[in-house]
Amino acid sequence: MNPLQRKLLILTVILAAIMELIDISIVNVALSHMSGNLGATLEDTSWVITAYAIANVIIIPITSFLSANLGRRNYYIGSVILFTFCSFMCGHSSNIWMLVFFRFFQGIGGGALLSISQVVVFELFPKDKQSTAGALFGAGIFIGPTIGPTLGGYITENYDWPWIFLINIPIGILVAISCFFLLTEPPVKPEIAKVDWIGIALLAIGVGALQTVLERGEVEDWFETRYIVILTVIAAIALLTFIYWELTVDKPVVNLKVLKSKSLSIAAILTFVTGFGMFVSIYISPVVAQRLLSFSPYQTGLLLLPGALFALVALKLCGTLLQKGVSPVIIIAAGFLLFIYFNWRMSEITLETSAFEVSSSLIFRALGMALLTVPLTMLAVSSLDDKDVGQGAALNNMMRQLGGSFGVSIINTYIAHRFAEHRNVLVSNVTLDNVKAMNRLNGYITYFQHRGFAYNEAKSKALKLMENIVTRQSSLLSYRDAFLFVGLFFVLTLPLLLLVMSKSKKPKTNIILSDH
């Protein structure tokens, strides 16, 4: 492969990974438009997100198995074609359940684009340039979820929601054609195993049930709903059985034994934490901007762009530092601290906070995530044999997705509880004995009377306005608490870095991690 072909292939697989990651968050700002256009409730429409997440988490850990048995080139190109076709069908869906159906299979196709792209990028770089490979792929991992809401907001406001899916079609076609001519089989081919159908079934059932519980639990009032209880039991039994089966069967679909690698195990935990912070922050920041600060979807997306630009510089710097021998532990610690600072800043917002203040806070989020992505990606596969790199990368990517799913589910529940508590406290202060509250109420009544309303009608409107103020303030306080909660989670997990302070053994793979 000549240098030009090599560069084209690197660009192609990173573009495919970004496309897959964008689709995780691009629909978030378009749910209301989909709901109205398809005549579905917002709860039913949220299955568009849930279906993709379930498919992604099911397929990602078995990409190494499927790649070995189908051939990496065939499986990757086939996945691109499936993703592109389902994007077309999503954009032409006539009802919500048709959209959910094709969205699920879009997620099945997208699963391969992340893990295999990562392995291909690392393969194409020499030993002394592995940190650059990490930075390039890290940029894709970071940029995808970050620009998703921006792109989704722009398309939804200026065109129509189907285009958030149809935009994938020309990109998918280009990726498929490029890979047809450039993508080859790995230099070290994994051993082809017989199909572990039991493992695949247990994983699909367990992860599918777990993801459904996580995505729908808050909406369905958790264990007050019968099907959530049933799915929780199914998930626990299926996943425990899956772990036992995969550790005892001769040819497992997911080789959990690679987790014996200390670097992979620790990286997986830290990647889970990073996924938690990454997806929660990208989920609640737009909500705060739109619901509380009254920004449009497109304006909200623009808030994220400065951070994305700073992150690209940080990713390049991170790769350079790793290549010069700077300890990954120092870089990861810096990333954690920056992300903690971002959450502290966001926990101080008010209803008068400007777009500039929010955008500048999001820069610290972006820098923190950028400094975490590259060293964690390299750490995950640094001590694995070449034949296990694909499996290790897949497991690590799955942990990021699970971290995000757990995080969004937990934070939704936490926000709901904090909202109820703050509202009760605020309402308890709106009494006849509270002079300030009564003065404000009377001021509103006078205002509406001056606008021509009779006293009773003016009082009714004043009470509704007071209710809206209480609701808004309760929401603000609950989201401030949510940012503090995420920041505290990072503070509590920061000591895990002590586990990677010791010098690691010389890597067995061609992916080099600086001694630390």
Side-chain angles (χ1 to χ4, degrees):
M1 183 178 292
N2 62 47
L4 177 60
Q5 291 175 322
R6 177 178 156 274
K7 289 177 181 177
L8 284 175
L9 182 55
I10 291 171
L11 179 63
T12 297
V13 296
I14 290 178
L15 180 62
I18 292 174
M19 180 175 67
E20 198 275 337
L21 286 165
I22 283 176
D23 270 62
I24 293 174
S25 60
I26 195 172
V27 302
N28 290 11
V29 296
L31 290 181
S32 295
H33 291 77
M34 291 179 188
S35 175
N37 188 258
L38 298 175
T41 66
L42 199 57
E43 288 184 3
D44 286 343
T45 309
S46 66
W47 277 100
V48 175
I49 297 174
T50 304
Y52 191 86
I54 290 173
N56 246 212
V57 178
I58 288 172
I59 203 70
I60 284 175
I62 63 175
T63 52
S64 179
F65 170 85
L66 293 172
S67 178
N69 282 270
L70 300 176
R72 183 173 74 180
R73 183 171 178 273
N74 292 336
Y75 176 52
Y76 192 83
I77 295 174
S79 295
V80 173
I81 293 171
L82 177 62
F83 183 91
T84 306
F85 172 75
C86 289
S87 295
F88 174 83
M89 295 306 298
C90 284
H92 288 85
S93 295
S94 56
N95 63 72
I96 187 60
W97 299 116
M98 179 180 175
L99 175 58
V100 169
F101 175 82
F102 284 107
R103 179 72 168 160
F104 177 83
F105 284 98
Q106 185 194 37
I108 292 291
L113 306 187
L114 190 59
S115 296
I116 296 180
S117 294
Q118 181 178 8
V119 175
V120 171
V121 169
F122 277 108
E123 275 182 10
L124 293 172
F125 277 81
K127 292 182 180 181
D128 60 341
K129 297 289 185 180
Q130 292 296 302
S131 56
T132 303
L136 278 172
F137 192 77
I141 288 176
F142 180 82
I143 290 172
T146 300
I147 68 172
T150 308
L151 188 60
Y154 178 81
I155 291 173
T156 302
E157 284 192 10
N158 293 279
Y159 300 97
D160 200 2
W161 67 263
W163 283 99
I164 65 178
F165 300 112
L166 299 178
I167 195 174
N168 293 328
I169 295 171
I171 300 173
I173 292 172
L174 286 174
V175 169
I177 293 172
S178 178
C179 288
F180 179 81
F181 289 105
L182 299 176
L183 187 61
T184 60
E185 295 301 313
V188 179
K189 293 185 179 180
E191 181 182 350
I192 297 178
K194 64 179 182 180
V195 180
D196 178 18
W197 292 114
I198 294 178
I200 293 174
L202 288 171
L203 179 67
I205 293 169
V207 171
L210 178 62
Q211 278 290 116
T212 304
V213 169
L214 292 173
E215 297 277 349
R216 304 295 298 173
E218 174 59 29
V219 175
E220 301 288 0
D221 200 19
W222 291 105
F223 301 114
E224 297 298 317
T225 305
R226 183 176 178 82
Y227 90 86
I228 293 293
V229 175
I230 293 172
L231 287 178
T232 302
V233 174
I234 290 173
I237 294 173
L239 291 175
L240 288 173
T241 306
F242 169 76
I243 292 171
Y244 173 78
W245 177 263
E246 296 301 285
L247 290 174
T248 55
V249 72
D250 288 337
K251 304 294 182 182
V253 65
V254 179
N255 183 15
L256 296 178
K257 292 177 182 177
V258 297
L259 289 171
K260 290 180 180 179
S261 164
K262 181 182 176 182
S263 60
L264 175 58
S265 298
I266 295 171
I269 295 171
L270 295 174
T271 299
F272 179 92
V273 175
T274 300
F276 185 104
M278 177 187 290
F279 285 100
V280 166
S281 59
I282 208 67
Y283 171 71
I284 61 176
S285 295
V287 172
V288 169
Q290 290 182 58
R291 293 186 182 177
L292 298 179
L293 304 181
S294 302
F295 297 147
S296 70
Y298 181 53
Q299 288 173 322
T300 301
L302 290 177
L303 295 175
L304 299 163
L305 286 185
L309 296 176
F310 275 93
L312 292 176
V313 177
L315 284 163
K316 175 62 177 174
L317 175 64
C318 185
T320 302
L321 292 174
L322 284 169
Q323 198 166 334
K324 291 184 176 180
V326 175
S327 171
V329 175
I330 295 174
I331 299 174
I332 294 171
F336 265 69
L337 292 173
L338 283 167
F339 195 77
I340 291 167
Y341 180 61
F342 153 73
N343 282 282
W344 177 78
R345 282 178 61 109
M346 290 299 288
S347 72
E348 297 288 311
I349 61 170
T350 68
L351 295 176
E352 287 72 44
T353 297
S354 67
F356 174 79
E357 290 175 282
V358 176
S359 187
S360 60
S361 294
L362 287 166
I363 289 174
F364 290 100
R365 171 201 173 270
L367 291 174
M369 289 292 102
L371 295 183
L372 289 171
T373 301
V374 178
L376 285 176
T377 300
M378 296 183 68
L379 180 63
V381 294
S382 62
S383 61
L384 299 178
D385 291 330
D386 288 348
K387 63 182 178 63
D388 293 326
V389 167
Q391 185 69 80
L395 283 171
N396 197 54
N397 286 325
M398 183 186 73
M399 292 302 290
R400 184 184 298 105
Q401 303 296 94
L402 282 177
S405 296
F406 272 88
V408 171
S409 174
I410 290 169
I411 213 67
N412 275 333
T413 303
Y414 182 75
I415 288 172
H417 285 296
R418 294 303 296 159
F419 174 82
E421 290 182 17
H422 285 303
R423 189 179 186 283
N424 287 337
V425 171
L426 292 176
V427 168
S428 68
N429 287 313
V430 183
T431 64
L432 294 173
D433 299 328
N434 190 318
V435 177
K436 289 184 178 179
M438 289 302 101
N439 286 340
R440 176 168 288 197
L441 178 62
N442 290 329
Y444 290 147
I445 293 173
T446 302
Y447 168 80
F448 285 115
Q449 283 182 311
H450 287 160
R451 305 282 291 186
F453 294 97
Y455 176 79
N456 287 338
E457 195 173 359
K459 184 178 180 181
S460 175
K461 287 184 175 293
L463 288 171
K464 286 181 180 178
L465 182 57
M466 290 284 282
E467 167 66 20
N468 289 337
I469 291 172
V470 167
T471 299
R472 222 166 158 224
Q473 286 291 341
S474 300
S475 295
L476 174 67
L477 293 172
S478 64
Y479 281 106
R480 283 168 53 143
D481 289 346
F483 283 111
L484 274 179
F485 177 84
V486 176
L488 181 61
F489 184 51
F490 270 67
V491 169
L492 293 177
T493 53
L494 190 58
L496 286 175
L497 292 177
L498 296 174
L499 298 176
V500 291
M501 290 295 291
S502 60
K503 259 192 173 181
S504 59
K505 295 179 181 179
K506 185 179 179 182
K508 296 178 182 178
T509 179
N510 63 339
I511 297 172
I512 301 300
L513 179 71
S514 303
D515 288 342
H516 55 280

